[in-house]
Amino acid sequence: MNRFSVAQRIEIIKIYYESSCSIRETFRALRSIYGQHKRPTELTIRRLVQKFESTGSVVDKHIPTRQRNARSEKNIVAVRESVTENPNLSISQRSQQLGISQTSVWRILHRDLGLHSYKIQLTEELKPADHYMRREFTDWVLGQLETDPDFPTKIIFSDEAHFWIDGFVDKHDCQIWGNANPQSIVERSLHTKKVTVWCGFFIGGVIGPYFFETEEGASVTVTDELYRSMISSFLWCELDGLDLSEMWFQQDGVTCHTSAATIALLRSKFNDRIISENGPVNWPPRSCDLTPLDFFLWGHVKSLVYSNNPQTVDDLKANIIRVIGKIRPDLCARVIENWVCRIHSTKRNRGGHLYDIVFPV
């Protein structure tokens, strides 16, 4: 009976009732439609009528089959064709569609087909003038690399981020990763407590963390005065003993970073080796994909500091200090290598977003 479509089965039922519910007359009437040899047998007609009268339907009941879980050649071909047709399905969806266990689908994708899953990068929209400034910056970096291949190892990158007690991390242009734009609301308490963290990042490790807070431990807004106080009382001490004669300092265009007084303070140690808005070398705006703190550090720290669900600001700060303290220089070196890849990719994309490169860390 499986060879007859639902429409054909409905037609057979209609003819059966038009033939005064006679199986024999129905069988004869179907000869003119299907021919003598392709018409359904009387037994098929009888079973179809019984199904319809007992269930009210002519559709076969779906009988679940046991999922195939072997990494057979047939299954590998099926998964390959499925990915070619729709690369956006999740493993669970693909498993259900193909009738292959999720474990086998995962193994076929990774081990047999050599495929990896990638997430969409959501980042801030670039303005028309940003492309030019990003191209100008990458041209400058590539020029520095031609004369000094070790140039990336001589940059101290810096930035701040907010960590909330409820697990929310805010960065003025922080990147969010997902397989689609979630279009969802993140709920958090109106007066939830947070810590404001500054870090420096270079090939030798992470400088910091430094917490912007009152004497009572409450987080404060970073002003240019507080930022300069951090530089004078903390950063200079952290850099003590480090040869700064060829080191560069990078910061973004936040107002507290770019005031004339702040740039003058930085010049006292770095002279003209400053990458910053209003500095000797301009840092392109909306370029969180070009600073290691945004494309690596804050996301890495966030993924670990909330693992034990800290309940107090002191717990959160202790976790941040612990996680950052475990970041080894060899990891920082790989991140700096990745930064060079990003510079080349930005050049290839004429200052646009980085579409043509995978960023392993």
Side-chain angles (χ1 to χ4, degrees), residues 39-54:
R39 59 183 169 176
T41 65
E42 291 186 29
L43 178 60
T44 299
I45 297 171
R46 182 173 287 105
R47 288 178 176 174
L48 180 59
V49 170
Q50 290 174 349
K51 173 190 287 291
F52 177 74
E53 292 182 344
S54 62

Side-chain angles (χ1 to χ4, degrees), residues 140 153-158 198 200-202 207 227 230-232 234-240 242-251 262-276 279-281:
W140 176 79
T153 68
K154 300 174 181 179
I155 304 175
I156 299 172
F157 298 89
S158 69
W198 177 94
F201 187 98
F202 74 120
I207 302 171
Y227 187 66
M230 181 277 297
I231 294 173
S232 300
F234 176 76
L235 179 58
W236 291 163
C237 296
E238 293 293 310
L239 298 180
D240 189 31
L242 184 66
D243 183 8
L244 300 180
S245 60
E246 295 184 338
M247 295 297 293
W248 290 74
F249 185 82
Q250 179 274 338
Q251 60 181 7
T262 299
I263 297 297
L265 178 60
L266 291 171
R267 283 181 183 272
S268 67
K269 290 286 187 181
F270 296 99
N271 296 317
D272 287 336
R273 298 183 304 280
I274 302 171
I275 304 171
S276 169
V281 177

Side-chain angles (χ1 to χ4, degrees), residues 51-82:
K51 173 190 287 291
F52 177 74
E53 292 182 344
S54 62
T55 66
S57 172
V58 296
V59 179
D60 292 331
K61 184 178 180 181
H62 175 69
I63 301 176
T65 58
R66 182 179 179 183
Q67 287 189 327
R68 296 168 288 161
N69 56 11
R71 287 163 57 202
S72 64
E73 186 61 34
K74 181 179 179 181
N75 286 353
I76 293 173
V77 171
V79 173
R80 182 187 291 113
E81 292 176 350
S82 173

Side-chain angles (χ1 to χ4, degrees), residues 42-234:
E42 291 186 29
L43 178 60
T44 299
I45 297 171
R46 182 173 287 105
R47 288 178 176 174
L48 180 59
V49 170
Q50 290 174 349
K51 173 190 287 291
F52 177 74
E53 292 182 344
S54 62
T55 66
S57 172
V58 296
V59 179
D60 292 331
K61 184 178 180 181
H62 175 69
I63 301 176
T65 58
R66 182 179 179 183
Q67 287 189 327
R68 296 168 288 161
N69 56 11
R71 287 163 57 202
S72 64
E73 186 61 34
K74 181 179 179 181
N75 286 353
I76 293 173
V77 171
V79 173
R80 182 187 291 113
E81 292 176 350
S82 173
V83 172
T84 301
E85 181 180 346
N86 186 355
N88 297 322
L89 286 180
S90 66
I91 287 181
S92 60
Q93 290 172 325
R94 206 176 301 280
S95 168
Q96 184 177 11
Q97 182 186 82
L98 298 176
I100 304 173
S101 71
Q102 293 188 34
T103 301
S104 293
V105 170
W106 185 92
R107 288 173 178 168
I108 290 172
L109 288 170
H110 287 264
R111 300 180 185 178
D112 298 302
L113 302 182
L115 302 178
H116 303 278
S117 61
Y118 299 98
K119 293 184 178 180
I120 294 173
Q121 178 182 357
L122 305 180
T123 190
E124 191 170 1
E125 178 185 8
L126 294 176
K127 307 301 180 183
D130 295 345
H131 292 78
Y132 170 77
M133 287 187 279
R134 284 162 63 88
R135 291 199 304 270
E136 189 177 54
F137 176 72
T138 54
D139 287 341
W140 176 79
V141 172
L142 294 174
Q144 295 293 318
L145 283 169
E146 289 182 1
T147 59
D148 181 8
D150 294 329
F151 172 68
T153 68
K154 300 174 181 179
I155 304 175
I156 299 172
F157 298 89
S158 69
D159 210 352
E160 302 94 17
H162 303 306
F163 287 73
W164 268 268
I165 261 302
D166 59 6
F168 183 77
V169 179
D170 179 41
K171 175 66 180 59
H172 59 277
D173 49 8
C174 185
Q175 299 178 61
I176 303 172
W177 296 80
N179 58 7
N181 189 337
Q183 298 291 340
S184 60
I185 298 173
V186 177
E187 295 184 355
R188 56 189 178 93
S189 303
L190 179 62
H191 303 293
T192 185
K193 295 181 178 180
K194 67 178 181 180
V195 295
T196 302
V197 186
W198 177 94
C199 281
F201 187 98
F202 74 120
I203 197 168
V206 179
I207 302 171
Y210 178 88
F211 299 100
F212 286 97
E213 58 188 8
T214 64
E215 293 183 357
E216 293 76 23
S219 179
V220 295
T221 301
V222 183
T223 63
D224 54 349
E225 292 86 355
L226 289 175
Y227 187 66
R228 288 195 298 274
S229 175
M230 181 277 297
I231 294 173
S232 300
S233 63
F234 176 76

Side-chain angles (χ1 to χ4, degrees), residues 116-123 134 175 177 287-292 294-297 300 331 334-349 352-361:
H116 303 278
S117 61
Y118 299 98
K119 293 184 178 180
I120 294 173
Q121 178 182 357
L122 305 180
T123 190
R134 284 162 63 88
Q175 299 178 61
W177 296 80
S287 292
C288 54
D289 52 353
L290 294 181
T291 171
D294 286 334
F295 72 73
F296 165 70
L297 184 65
H300 174 75
L331 177 56
R334 296 202 300 274
V335 174
I336 296 300
E337 290 176 5
N338 185 250
W339 181 77
V340 177
C341 294
R342 289 168 177 262
I343 292 295
H344 284 286
S345 182
T346 304
K347 173 69 175 179
R348 290 193 296 271
N349 291 329
H353 286 307
L354 310 181
Y355 301 118
D356 60 343
I357 184 171
V358 178
F359 304 118
V361 172

